[in-house]
Amino acid sequence: MEQNIFMCIDLKSFFASVECADRGIDPFTTNLVVSDPSRGNGAICLAITPAMKALGIRNRCRIFEIPPGVQYITAMPRMKRYMEVSAQVYGVYLRYISPEDIHVYSIDECFIDATPYLAMYNTTPKQLAQTLMNAVFEETHICATAGVGTNLFLAKVALDITAKHVPDHIGWLDEKEFREKLWSHRPITDFWNVGSGVARRLAKYGVYDMGGVAKMNEDILYKEFGVNAEFLIDHAHGREPCTMAEIHAYESKTKSLSNGQILFEDYSADNAFIVMKEMVDTLILELVEKKLAAGSVSLTVGYSKDVFPPTGGTRKLSGFTGSRRKLTEEFVRLYNETTRRKYPIRSINIGLGGLVEDVYSTFDLFMDPAAEEKEKNMQNAIIDIKRRFGKNSLIKAMSLQEKATGIRRNNMVGGHNGG
């Protein structure tokens, strides 16, 4: 019986490597950070080069955390450029692998079902991984690392943990090697999908590694984690039943839209309120454009330097609506009821949940159908204008206020400078 072989390939320090490649410099010898200096010393470095990591500087640090004596180049984020290079890399993979056997996990990482290609190319799993990595480097001058495993989980773990400790940067794991080499590995949060919250809950039972999870009473795990215990149990034994075909066929049962931003500086509650309303307008336009209606709204407000824990919450609506007036009223009410007005605000996240097709919008006795239709037509007209002439072709007066961010964010991609 043919053994399944999967790969997980990651582009090393991707954003920083793209900046170095475009400048013709070596990321392994050059100190470079990708960050927006206009956001001050508290700005997050979206990526740093391997040369800086070798100095002990952690990835996604803030500017002020870089030691004073370290000289480095600052590159403004260029999300459009990174997306172009990511598409270019995907094109390289397609020279060797069919699209149905590739799952793009993120802008710099993908899974590949290599099973049918080993015989096709008369090669070994590691040789195929090296071929793909070499092809990417020749095309883009960006280095990659890879994990190879007998299932998707083991391929990801081989990338995240094993590949870091081998000269060719290609990790390998099957279930036997997983148990022998990684059952005692700590911290447990190094493993895919084991966050700090899961680690804390396992620590209550004196469990700090995957070997400990594998030896736990399964009834306790199900009591603690519910149905999610099944994934934890499988992964503790190095098992992963999910296939590439199932990933491609998956459709989320719960649909939502969200929008979030880290503010350029500390904002007062009144100024943050302006930004929140801008974000709400943008999200509602997306809702209308996709012909959806929402059943809930959610808001999270984060405060500067963690002087106070984030506030906000989720509010279920009495029905489903795409009405800008109704949804804005709910967000305003939630903001006013939950925001700590005396603390400086640094981040805002909003969401629309419980989405259904807009034909299922709920009507009530207090609605004016004519007014609702007029509002919907207005929203569609705004969408059409922005689509044809750009996001900043039509803006509200509030976006012209000093602390508004909408115009600037319209020129960004993924919350960062588009480039």
Side-chain angles (χ1 to χ4, degrees):
M1 182 177 176
E2 186 180 45
Q3 185 181 41
N4 290 324
I5 297 294
F6 295 88
M7 297 177 184
C8 188
I9 303 180
D10 174 65
L11 305 174
K12 199 170 183 67
S13 302
F14 180 52
F15 295 170
S17 291
V18 171
E19 296 297 339
C20 286
D22 285 355
R23 289 166 170 80
I25 54 180
D26 185 352
F28 291 91
T29 59
T30 305
N31 293 337
L32 180 145
V33 305
V34 179
S35 186
D36 183 352
S38 69
R39 300 195 179 196
N41 282 338
I44 292 175
C45 297
L46 299 182
I48 62 175
T49 53
M52 294 190 72
K53 292 178 183 178
L55 298 175
I57 301 169
R58 66 180 182 86
N59 199 30
R60 295 191 69 80
C61 64
R62 295 183 183 273
I63 290 291
F64 69 81
E65 293 177 314
I66 299 174
V70 176
Q71 300 295 313
Y72 57 88
I73 300 168
T74 301
M76 178 73 82
R78 299 184 296 156
M79 299 308 294
K80 289 180 182 177
R81 176 60 180 152
Y82 308 147
M83 291 166 68
E84 289 172 358
V85 177
S86 180
Q88 187 179 0
V89 171
Y90 181 68
V92 173
Y93 297 147
L94 289 177
R95 296 176 196 165
Y96 301 85
I97 310 293
S98 297
E100 61 266 23
D101 293 318
I102 304 174
H103 169 60
V104 177
Y105 185 61
S106 67
I107 193 171
D108 60 352
E109 194 170 328
C110 78
F111 287 97
I112 292 173
D113 184 350
T115 309
Y117 302 95
L118 302 178
M120 180 186 301
Y121 297 125
N122 189 27
T123 188
T124 67
K126 280 200 170 188
Q127 286 171 344
L128 180 57
Q130 191 66 66
T131 297
L132 295 173
M133 292 160 63
N134 290 344
V136 168
F137 184 79
E138 289 172 9
E139 180 91 10
T140 66
H141 299 291
I142 292 173
C143 292
T145 56
V148 182
T150 50
N151 60 47
L152 291 165
F153 171 72
L154 291 177
K156 176 64 171 165
V157 173
L159 171 73
D160 291 343
I161 301 177
T162 313
K164 296 177 181 179
H165 306 290
V166 291
D168 60 5
H169 305 295
I170 303 174
W172 158 260
L173 284 174
D174 58 17
E175 290 184 24
K176 182 173 181 290
E177 289 210 15
F178 175 78
R179 290 191 297 270
E180 290 176 352
K181 295 181 177 179
L182 295 182
W183 256 15
S184 59
H185 178 88
R186 298 183 184 185
I188 196 170
T189 50
D190 282 350
F191 290 90
W192 191 29
N193 285 336
V194 179
S196 57
V198 171
R200 283 194 298 270
R201 292 164 75 179
L202 289 170
K204 294 190 303 184
Y205 303 96
V207 173
Y208 302 95
D209 50 41
M210 280 299 196
V213 175
K215 296 167 187 174
M216 279 185 74
N217 184 313
E218 291 188 3
D219 290 339
I220 294 175
L221 284 167
Y222 276 102
K223 183 178 180 181
E224 181 69 37
F225 296 102
V227 294
N228 290 329
E230 183 177 350
F231 301 105
L232 198 55
I233 293 166
D234 276 343
H235 289 174
H237 289 88
R239 301 189 298 253
E240 175 54 71
C242 185
T243 65
M244 192 71 77
E246 288 172 329
I247 290 175
H248 285 305
Y250 174 76
E251 290 185 13
S252 175
K253 294 180 180 179
T254 58
K255 295 181 178 180
S256 64
L257 295 174
S258 61
N259 191 351
Q261 64 173 291
I262 298 174
L263 301 170
F264 303 117
E265 59 190 55
D266 290 350
Y267 270 50
S268 68
D270 288 340
N271 287 331
F273 179 75
I274 295 169
V275 176
M276 189 271 293
K277 288 192 69 178
E278 285 185 305
M279 294 167 64
V280 168
D281 272 358
T282 300
L283 200 61
I284 293 172
L285 282 177
E286 185 179 353
L287 184 80
V288 173
E289 186 174 18
K290 293 182 176 179
K291 298 185 177 356
L292 298 171
S296 67
V297 301
S298 61
L299 168 73
T300 303
V301 173
Y303 301 90
S304 177
K305 299 181 177 64
D306 299 322
V307 295
F308 194 87
T311 57
T314 299
R315 180 160 291 160
K316 189 173 181 180
L317 307 178
S318 58
F320 298 95
T321 184
S323 166
R324 175 186 172 278
R325 177 183 58 82
K326 286 185 176 181
L327 292 171
T328 300
E329 286 175 356
E330 290 296 337
F331 275 112
V332 168
R333 189 176 296 114
L334 191 55
Y335 185 90
N336 289 334
E337 290 177 2
T338 62
T339 302
R340 299 278 179 165
R341 303 193 67 83
K342 67 179 181 178
Y343 294 104
I345 293 170
R346 202 59 190 259
S347 66
I348 304 171
N349 290 274
I350 63 171
L352 295 170
L355 303 186
V356 298
E357 294 179 19
D358 61 3
V359 294
Y360 298 108
S361 295
T362 309
F363 294 90
D364 59 50
L365 295 174
F366 302 100
M367 288 180 62
D368 180 347
E372 294 287 330
E373 186 65 23
K374 183 178 180 181
E375 180 193 287
K376 187 174 181 180
N377 290 337
M378 178 70 74
Q379 296 289 86
N380 282 318
I382 293 171
I383 290 167
D384 185 54
I385 292 171
K386 287 176 176 284
R387 188 185 293 132
R388 291 169 62 192
F389 301 108
K391 294 178 181 179
N392 283 330
S393 59
L394 191 63
I395 57 174
K396 293 194 172 183
M398 66 178 174
S399 291
L400 297 174
Q401 296 186 53
E402 182 184 356
K403 295 297 184 179
T405 64
I407 295 175
R408 180 172 179 176
R409 284 181 60 80
N410 283 342
N411 294 320
M412 294 181 171
V413 177
H416 303 289
N417 181 53

